[in-house]
Amino acid sequence: MRSLSIFGATGSIGEQTVDLLTRAGGADAYRVVALTGGRNVARLAEMARALRAEVAVCADDAGLPELRERLAGSGVEAAAGTAAIVEAAERPADWVMSSIVGAAGLAPGFRALRHGSTLALANKESLVTAGPLLMAEAARHDARILPVDSEHSAIFQALVGEDIAAVERIILTASGGALRDWPLERLATATVAEALAHPNWSMGQRITIDSASMFNKALEVIETREFFGVDPDRIEVIIHPESLIHSMVGYRDGAVMAHMGAPDMRHSIGYALNWPERSHLPVARLDLAQIGQMTFRAPDLARYPALRLAREVMARRGLAGAAFNAAKEVALDHFLAGAIGFMDMAGVVEDTLTALDPGLGHENDAMTLEDVQAVDHLARTRAGEIARKQAGER
Ligand code: NAD
Ligand code: MG
């Protein structure tokens, strides 16, 4: 029986993973090792009981008494705290879903690679902050990383049987998010609720806002660079409002392989779960005659400064990705709290990168997990100061 763990089981990706496992037979089909969650202790306990997990861990220490109580008599161990989450990743499992949101997802995924596990990576922040480190750790332990982000799963699938050397370009599609049709001058006034109204995908709150600002696409361009090892100038972004083509790979003979499907994350999660086989998945089938048409347009860089910043981060490499991601998370926190405007987020990130430069230009092979965590911490402090200053000026 295959063993597996899910880090971030109570989130959007985690719930969809649990849905697929449950449909595939749940605890009768898989040995579930660890499930982790954040504050939703009730849901975590419920899924841990249903899947007969060995251990359930909530991120917040304060949640432990409730978790223990809810798991009493079930045989599921209860634990809490960041260290306990990393400890849970030390328990061997054949397949590990990394679906915690943000930089907090890096350490458990990194640790899971030591067992030579297959790491299904939804947490794109891991590759943005520590790509070279993560890929080297996977190689060292003969572990495998499978992308779960829909674009990267699409690219991965369009590369099957092909030689990466024959790739001329990778074209990432972007929905453009909730505000894509707003006039540029109105964007500064966008509220959290408006930025959350994503037209196609149902996702966690943070990634939905990042989708509207295209910080999500910026992270994904860097993720592409790190995961597939392609040169940044071979990575393009195109807005495709229908979200039916999940990304494309262009080859040197001019052929373009596009991956299509309904916008449903259970496809990429299921692909990573069943890989290298394909099994039936409960996703809607495309009816192209009914869809009729698909449209595309180039992203306007004035609307999406995040895309320009991603290019700068890729030019610097080293620890710039860790600083970029941390500053982005802090800027997003301030936007969510109503302290800064939608268009101020990019300013906070850019000013943080400028403030921390040139300390970011480390050689990649000198990078350790501790270096990444130190820069993450430093960037959060600086970004917080910059965001508070911005908020004061509003
Ligand atoms: P979410 O907010 O719905 O869920 C996040 C999970 O992480 C929850 O279980 C939450 O409790 C847990 N968590 C949050 N902060 C934590 C912390 N500090 N320590 C430990 N656990 C913590 O997020 P999501 O939308 O499921 O996204 C998860 C990851 O997958 C992100 O990296 C996101 O970029 C990526 N991703 C998501 C989608 C999507 O459709 N939702 C698509 C592609 C990639
Ligand atoms: Mg994506």
Side-chain angles (χ1 to χ4, degrees):
M1 203 184 258
R2 201 143 70 114
S3 59
L4 57 84
S5 292
I6 308 174
F7 291 83
T10 55
S12 164
I13 293 287
E15 282 284 2
Q16 295 179 81
T17 307
V18 169
D19 174 62
L20 290 181
L21 296 179
T22 306
R23 288 166 189 265
D28 297 328
Y30 298 95
R31 185 168 69 79
V32 178
V33 179
L35 297 179
T36 82
R39 259 169 262 161
N40 191 348
V41 172
R43 180 62 188 135
L44 177 65
E46 184 184 34
M47 49 176 61
R49 276 179 178 272
L51 291 173
R52 301 200 288 273
E54 283 174 17
V55 61
V57 192
C58 59
D60 205 354
D61 288 319
L64 189 56
E66 185 191 341
L67 186 62
R68 281 211 176 106
E69 193 179 312
R70 288 183 183 271
L71 290 173
S74 67
V76 183
E77 282 172 56
T82 308
I85 290 180
V86 177
E87 271 166 41
E90 277 164 12
R91 300 184 183 217
D94 301 322
W95 189 87
V96 174
M97 167 55 81
S98 166
S99 58
I100 288 175
V101 64
L106 173 61
F110 191 78
R111 193 56 63 90
L113 289 173
R114 276 197 201 159
H115 307 295
S117 311
T118 294
L119 185 68
L121 191 67
N123 180 267
K124 63 192 84 186
E125 296 90 344
S126 296
L127 282 170
V128 172
T129 58
L133 205 61
L134 203 72
M135 299 307 278
E137 188 73 358
R140 184 173 310 129
H141 299 288
D142 215 7
R144 184 179 297 278
I145 303 178
L146 294 175
V148 172
D149 215 347
S150 60
E151 295 77 1
H152 305 77
S153 175
I155 297 162
F156 189 83
Q157 294 180 53
L159 282 167
V160 170
E162 304 283 355
D163 180 357
I164 190 84
V167 173
E168 197 168 63
R169 58 193 181 133
I170 289 181
I171 307 163
L172 290 171
T173 50
S175 69
L179 311 175
R180 67 172 175 234
D181 298 319
W182 282 35
L184 177 58
E185 49 302 344
R186 234 188 104 198
L187 285 179
T189 69
T191 64
V192 171
E194 286 163 338
L196 275 176
H198 198 286
N200 309 335
W201 296 94
S202 153
M203 308 182 286
Q205 186 188 47
R206 302 184 70 89
I207 183 174
T208 304
I209 306 275
D210 282 350
S211 179
S213 63
M214 285 243 199
F215 265 109
N216 181 50
K217 209 51 55 179
L219 296 177
E220 289 181 356
V221 170
I222 304 170
E223 183 186 9
T224 303
R225 196 256 167 273
E226 298 299 337
F227 187 82
F228 298 102
V230 289
D231 209 56
D233 14 290
R234 292 179 185 269
I235 308 170
E236 301 170 16
V237 173
I238 192 159
I239 295 185
H240 166 45
E242 296 84 3
S243 297
L244 297 172
I245 293 184
H246 301 312
S247 278
M248 299 172 250
V249 179
Y251 290 92
R252 62 183 167 211
D253 59 358
V256 174
M257 306 294 274
H259 177 279
M260 298 172 64
D264 185 332
M265 285 308 295
R266 291 177 307 174
H267 171 77
S268 0
I269 298 167
Y271 182 81
L273 180 63
N274 300 319
W275 183 90
E277 301 191 348
R278 286 188 187 271
S279 300
H280 175 87
L281 290 173
V283 299
R285 271 43 180 172
L286 281 191
D287 180 344
L288 290 175
Q290 210 219 335
I291 290 160
Q293 61 173 8
M294 289 191 282
T295 57
F296 305 92
R297 60 184 192 242
D300 169 2
L301 292 187
R303 295 175 72 91
Y304 303 116
L307 293 179
R308 173 177 53 79
L309 293 174
R311 301 276 161 198
E312 290 176 19
V313 167
M314 288 189 292
R316 285 184 178 126
R317 287 202 85 193
L319 294 163
F324 177 70
N325 178 68
K328 192 278 299 175
E329 290 188 20
V330 170
L332 178 57
D333 288 336
H334 282 77
F335 174 67
L336 287 169
I340 63 171
F342 182 75
M343 292 304 275
D344 295 333
M345 288 192 284
V348 170
V349 174
E350 183 157 23
D351 291 353
T352 305
L353 288 175
T354 308
L356 295 187
D357 203 54
L360 303 172
H362 271 233
E363 282 303 310
N364 293 317
D365 51 7
M367 194 158 117
T368 65
L369 200 57
E370 289 69 35
D371 293 334
V372 172
Q373 283 161 345
V375 165
D376 176 277
H377 183 74
L378 199 63
R380 276 173 210 275
T381 309
R382 285 316 287 269
E385 290 161 8
I386 294 167
R388 279 191 297 278
K389 190 159 168 281
Q390 283 258 13
E393 284 164 8
R394 279 181 100 214

